[in-house]
Each structure stands twice: as structure tokens, then as C-alpha cells.
Amino acid sequence: MSATDTPGRPSPEELEGMSQEELARLAGTLDDVEVVHNAPKWPVRGTRAEKRAERTVAAWFILSALSALGFIVAFIAWPHEYVAPGAPGYGWYASYNPAIGFLFGFTVLALGIGVIAYVRKFFPEEVSVQQRHDGRSDEVDRRTIMAQLASAGKSTDIARRKLITRSAGAAAGIFGIGLGIAALGPLIRNPWKGGDQAALWVTPWAPKGDETVYLRRDTGILGEISRVRPEDMEPGSMETVFPYRESERGNEEELLHAQRASDTPVMLIRLRPGTETIKRQGQENFHFGDYYAFSKVCTHLGCPTSLYQAQDNRILCPCHQSQFLATEYARPVFGPATRALPQLPITVDSEGYFVARSDFIEPVGPAFWERRP
């Protein structure tokens, strides 16, 4: 015997001929639901109390819509470019994340409160008892439950409450737009804008005019300039260096940017004398004697490759355990990274200081789909 042939269950032909009200009643019967008590919240329509309740619910939806609108505006227009502490505009920059976080959170909160308030103020006071059944619902159950939901909406008079439906629609719609903008926002900016000078191609190591770019160590004091000489490093040692130009001396903003830019950290490694190396084609002269300079940004997910193991000349990334062989142009030999660390061309100037001969010739950091050959 099929499900539709059991007592109390209509045939497909009978199902097609039933109205929404009949389907809703059938849903309760088939689900073994006994309605013990059911009374509308507002038996007399149009009272002042009902209108006040409607305005309260709509107010939450309107607040949610306004907050969502504010989130969109703040996400797009709020100043978010880095500003150093104490510099003009730092307050706006520092409040960017708190602002969009508060507006997003309040949007969700107000929308949720509005939904809860609507249920509490307009859904009928109903007490029902239902027997539990296991198993998948059939076509009759699916059709009747949809009718039951439609009947619930009708019993709450949602169709005639234009203020609530419009405010709820505005809140949900603007909130959805905000989510879309937040998801697509990072993809709108064209990272290749600027051609050969685009952000993906150029780092602070790039030359500016005829000015020399030195390798500078971080002493912990921003204004203290400590350039690196070959004799400063022992064989088998490693030091983190940053770009420095004499025009930046005394300019704390420029000095700070050189240290905080995501693509500037470089690990300067001095191999032990006599160590055999394999150089990458086209980069045979990027080193200076036993000194090699590689980007410190892992090509897997951008973590700092801050560990150097002198015993086997391996550079290690502590985040996901990628390992790079310093004696073979920092090619990956273990872990998820698939691209060698970019090598910085270096030499020593007439004063005996390490300098960068040029910028990196390939992108720094995680690989992406339009790398240069």
C-alpha cells in the first residue's frame, strides 16, 4: 500500500483540488498535531495598541536598514589607508575597523530583534502537541507544510502590515547588499593598475632615481641607522634587513614604512666558506661572495620565513613547515610552498656597505595566477 493510499491521506487528484486552508488543516492532521489553544494576538483589528506594536517592530527593521546603509558607506568611504600614530588622520584610520564592526553587528542585532518582536507581538497564542515521527517526508507532507506556513503568515496578517514588510524588506535587502560589497570589495581594486609600477611588481627596494638603497638592520630604535657590512656577519649566520635611503634619515614616517611594508623584510645569509651552491638561471650574479639575500615572505601563504638552519642551509617557515634550500636559490624542498623565495640582487658599495642592485625581479609573497615568466 502506498503512502497516499493510507487512511486520511488524499490521493494526488484530491491533493490538487484542495485549497490552502484545507492543506494547512491536513498538515496538522497528518503530523499528529493537536491544537490545544489558538487565539489571535489582536482579535480586534486597527487598535492603537496594535499600531503601536507594528511601529515598534518596524522601528527595529528601519534601524537595521540604516545601520546596514551606514556599514556600506563606511566600508567604501571611510579612510582606511595606514596613517602613523600621531599623524593627522590617525584617529579616522584607527576607528575604521571598530566602525564597520559595530555597524555590521548592530545591523544583525536589530534585524534579529525585529524578527523576534514580530513573532512575539503578532503570532497567535497557540499551544500544540505533536507526536514525533522519523523518516523522510513525502510529497503530501511537503505540500501541506508549505500551505501551513502560508496559513501562519495569513493568520498574522503580514500581508496587510505594509510598514513591517517594507521596513523588513529594506533591512534584509540593504544588509544583503552590504554582505555582497564586503565579499567583493577586495576584488574591486585592480592590483595591476600602474603597469610596471603596480603594487604587485614593485617593492620599497625599487630604486628611485640615482639614490642608493642600503641594507639596514633594525636596532629597535627607529631613528638609529645601522647599515650592514660584510664583516658584521659570522659564517653561517642570518640577519633580517630592510631598505634604507639617505633621504629617509630623520623622516620617521618613511623609516617606519620601510619596516612595516609587507614586502620589505629580507633575510641576509652568509654561507660557510667553500659551500657549494646552485644558482638560478639568470640570477647567477645576484649574490656577493658567500652572502645571499632572499625575501623573508613565504611563497605559500605569506608567513615570515624567520628561521635559518645553518647545519643544512635550510630556511624554515614556522607556520606551515615549508623549507627552502639556501644553497639552491632558496627553492622549496619540503612543505606546501611550490615557488622559490625571490632573491634580492646585492653588492657592496665603495664604502663597504651592502646595497641593493635593483628590486626583486619577481613578485614577493604567495604565488598568483599572472606571474611574469
Side-chain angles (χ1 to χ4, degrees):
M1 179 179 294
S2 65
T4 56
D5 293 332
T6 56
R9 301 185 74 86
S11 64
E13 294 78 12
E14 293 173 331
L15 189 65
E16 291 296 330
M18 297 179 72
S19 65
Q20 286 290 105
E21 290 76 8
E22 292 172 331
L23 288 170
R25 288 195 298 270
L26 179 61
T29 302
L30 295 178
D31 287 341
D32 286 341
V33 175
E34 179 185 359
V35 179
V36 180
H37 173 75
N38 184 289
K41 278 289 182 66
W42 307 102
V44 179
R45 295 185 175 185
T47 63
R48 295 175 61 182
E50 180 188 12
K51 292 184 180 298
R52 186 166 56 251
E54 185 174 354
R55 288 194 296 269
T56 300
V57 174
W60 283 111
F61 288 139
I62 291 172
L63 286 174
S64 178
L66 292 175
S67 182
L69 186 62
F71 167 77
I72 294 174
V73 173
F75 186 88
I76 296 174
W78 199 287
H80 62 276
E81 296 291 340
Y82 174 75
V83 178
Y90 174 74
W92 286 99
Y93 162 75
S95 59
Y96 174 74
N97 282 337
I100 62 174
F102 171 80
L103 290 169
F104 182 87
F106 187 78
T107 297
V108 177
L109 176 66
L111 189 61
I113 293 177
V115 171
I116 294 172
Y118 177 74
V119 172
R120 296 190 59 171
K121 293 180 180 296
F122 293 100
F123 268 55
E125 296 179 353
E126 180 177 290
V127 177
S128 301
V129 178
Q130 180 181 20
Q131 302 299 320
R132 180 170 179 173
H133 298 278
D134 298 325
R136 181 179 181 273
S137 300
D138 58 22
E139 178 62 24
V140 174
D141 291 329
R142 290 193 289 271
R143 291 282 296 276
T144 53
I145 192 61
M146 293 305 297
Q148 199 171 39
L149 291 173
S151 177
K154 184 176 180 180
S155 65
T156 60
D157 293 326
I158 187 64
R160 72 181 182 88
R161 304 187 189 282
K162 301 302 182 183
L163 181 61
I164 291 180
T165 55
R166 290 170 181 171
S167 58
I174 299 176
F175 179 59
I177 294 173
L179 287 179
I181 291 176
L184 297 177
L187 304 178
I188 294 175
R189 180 184 177 187
N190 180 8
W192 294 276
K193 183 179 180 180
D196 290 340
Q197 298 301 310
L200 285 177
W201 303 136
V202 180
T203 76
W205 290 98
K208 298 179 180 178
D210 297 330
E211 195 168 10
T212 302
V213 182
Y214 294 94
L215 277 61
R216 175 202 177 198
R217 61 172 58 89
D218 180 15
T219 64
I221 301 175
L222 186 61
E224 183 178 354
I225 308 302
S226 178
R227 296 176 290 177
V228 185
R229 296 174 181 266
E231 57 267 26
D232 295 338
M233 300 179 62
E234 296 292 333
S237 64
M238 182 274 288
E239 187 163 4
T240 301
V241 294
F242 301 90
Y244 167 73
R245 299 170 178 81
E246 279 297 332
S247 62
E248 298 170 352
R249 188 182 292 271
N251 189 331
E252 292 192 358
E253 183 176 351
E254 291 293 335
L255 294 174
L256 192 63
H257 174 71
Q259 291 188 6
R260 289 191 173 181
S262 60
D263 50 5
T264 57
V266 164
M267 54 194 324
L268 180 63
I269 298 174
R270 182 181 182 182
L271 301 177
R272 290 189 173 91
T275 303
E276 294 186 3
T277 60
I278 298 176
K279 301 174 180 62
R280 196 172 185 177
Q281 184 177 1
Q283 302 182 14
E284 293 85 352
N285 61 347
F286 277 23
H287 67 292
F288 177 82
D290 296 326
Y291 299 85
Y292 292 77
F294 300 104
S295 169
K296 202 172 181 178
V297 184
C298 183
T299 54
H300 172 224
L301 287 180
C303 295
T305 56
S306 53
L307 304 175
Y308 174 61
Q309 194 166 281
Q311 289 83 352
D312 53 9
N313 298 302
R314 292 198 177 198
I315 302 167
L316 295 89
C317 176
C319 293
H320 306 100
Q321 288 71 56
S322 291
Q323 297 182 19
F324 307 85
L325 199 56
T327 54
E328 296 187 22
Y329 56 87
R331 71 175 180 88
V333 293
F334 182 82
T338 59
R339 184 164 68 94
L341 296 173
Q343 186 173 354
L344 181 71
I346 61 172
T347 187
V348 171
D349 68 356
S350 58
E351 296 180 310
Y353 293 108
F354 277 115
V355 297
R357 294 172 49 207
S358 72
D359 196 2
F360 294 97
I361 65 170
E362 60 181 318
V364 170
F368 60 96
W369 56 89
E370 289 193 21
R371 284 185 56 224
R372 286 176 174 169

